[in-house]
Amino acid sequence: MHILVTNDDGVSAPGLLALAQAMRTVGEVTVFAPDRNWSVSGHVKTLDRPLRVREVRLADGSPALATDGAPSDCVALALMGLVEEVDLVVSGINPHANLGHDVTYSGTVTAAMEAVITGGVPGIAFSLDSPEDYGGELDYGPAANLARRVVAQVIARGLPKGVLLNVNIPYLEAGDVKGFMVTRQGMRVYRDVLERRLDPRGRPYYWIGGESPTGIAEPGTDFGALAEGYVSITPLQLDLTAYKALEAMKAWDWD
Ligand code: MN
């Protein structure tokens, strides 16, 4: 079992190291991550410039690959031949949750999407639901251990073709996590505010600000699971077709 480990926070992020160390107990690991933070970069394919890859060391001294491309570029490069025979791609551990509509913004989740698109191999995104205002250093230990258990299940059972997993882990002590819950996407509530300011030369610029997003903790959803202290596991697919609308629109008078 050869596992490719990536993330969107950059190759020096502590969540990546924790995930890589956990994956080494499951199989052979190659770490290949962006050389900088690409959080909230969405799904990227870099076609307009060359991509450089260099060998680096993680904080524990183990070798890794880093590129100046995006998280999804890392996965695409690896699966197109830069890394041989990858069976599974895992991404994370992101310090903050990726819930509801976040999945299309998230570099963590879109890296897992790329696994399905380019490699036809399972992709799993891991995110930690740490408080937005958490000041200290995060402890990724319990989350990494839970990630290992999710990966063990996926290896044992396999995933249907084209399916990736978006896994969100509550920021709790290991003994306080209630268990695992398979969920659907919930509803994010964004509270973005457009800030218009003036630069030193009097020209306007715009900044998307506002408070952190919240969500609706409906039972059965990713938000609901986290609110109850469960690890949320949401199977995702890339067919975004709105089938009900498709059927209804066929009846429209198109001619
Ligand atoms: Mn991130």
Side-chain angles (χ1 to χ4, degrees):
M1 177 59 51
H2 186 191
I3 304 170
L4 183 78
V5 181
T6 191
N7 76 345
D8 79 347
D9 303 304
V11 72
S12 57
L16 178 76
L17 178 63
L19 185 58
Q21 288 176 337
M23 291 305 105
R24 282 192 204 117
T25 67
V26 182
E28 185 198 340
V29 167
T30 298
V31 176
F32 186 11
D35 62 7
R36 71 199 73 158
N37 193 332
W38 283 78
S39 293
V40 204
S41 65
H43 204 159
V44 174
K45 184 177 275 186
T46 300
L47 299 175
D48 61 344
R49 63 182 176 87
L51 294 170
R52 305 283 180 181
V53 177
R54 62 194 173 91
E55 289 180 21
V56 297
R57 296 262 164 201
L58 300 184
D60 66 354
S62 60
L65 297 169
T67 177
D68 55 354
S72 39
D73 287 322
C74 295
V75 175
L77 290 179
L79 296 179
M80 285 191 290
L82 199 140
V83 178
E84 275 174 21
E85 304 205 3
V86 173
D87 302 301
L88 171 70
V89 174
V90 298
S91 175
I93 300 171
N94 198 63
H96 300 294
N98 281 302
L99 302 163
H101 293 339
D102 291 343
V103 297
T104 59
Y105 295 110
S106 166
T108 309
V109 178
T110 52
M113 289 179 182
E114 193 62 32
V116 166
I117 293 173
T118 301
V121 298
I124 311 176
F126 292 102
S127 305
L128 187 56
D129 187 28
S130 71
E132 286 289 339
D133 55 358
Y134 193 85
E137 213 170 282
L138 291 171
D139 177 7
Y140 287 95
N145 191 42
L146 292 162
R148 189 185 52 73
R149 290 172 59 184
V150 172
V151 167
Q153 275 284 329
V154 168
I155 291 171
R157 304 264 186 166
L159 283 180
K161 199 85 183 150
V163 171
L164 59 132
L165 300 183
N166 181 30
V167 179
N168 285 277
I169 300 169
Y171 193 57
L172 297 171
E173 302 281 338
D176 294 335
V177 176
K178 294 251 182 64
F180 299 87
M181 200 182 275
V182 181
T183 58
R184 61 187 166 86
Q185 271 179 281
M187 190 53 75
R188 236 329 171 204
V189 179
Y190 294 103
R191 298 186 291 170
D192 298 341
V193 175
L194 186 63
E195 302 267 359
R196 181 184 189 272
R197 298 179 190 174
L198 294 179
D199 74 14
R201 291 176 185 79
R203 293 172 306 202
Y205 65 91
Y206 300 88
W207 202 307
I208 299 172
E211 291 176 53
S212 298
T214 59
I216 298 169
E218 202 183 327
T221 67
D222 43 16
F223 288 101
L226 287 178
E228 291 177 46
Y230 286 85
V231 176
S232 166
I233 303 172
T234 309
L236 298 177
Q237 61 190 6
L238 291 169
D239 181 355
L240 301 180
T241 310
Y243 284 97
K244 267 189 197 164
L246 182 149
E247 284 309 316
M249 289 176 66
K250 279 180 181 172
W252 290 12
D253 187 8
W254 289 103
D255 304 309

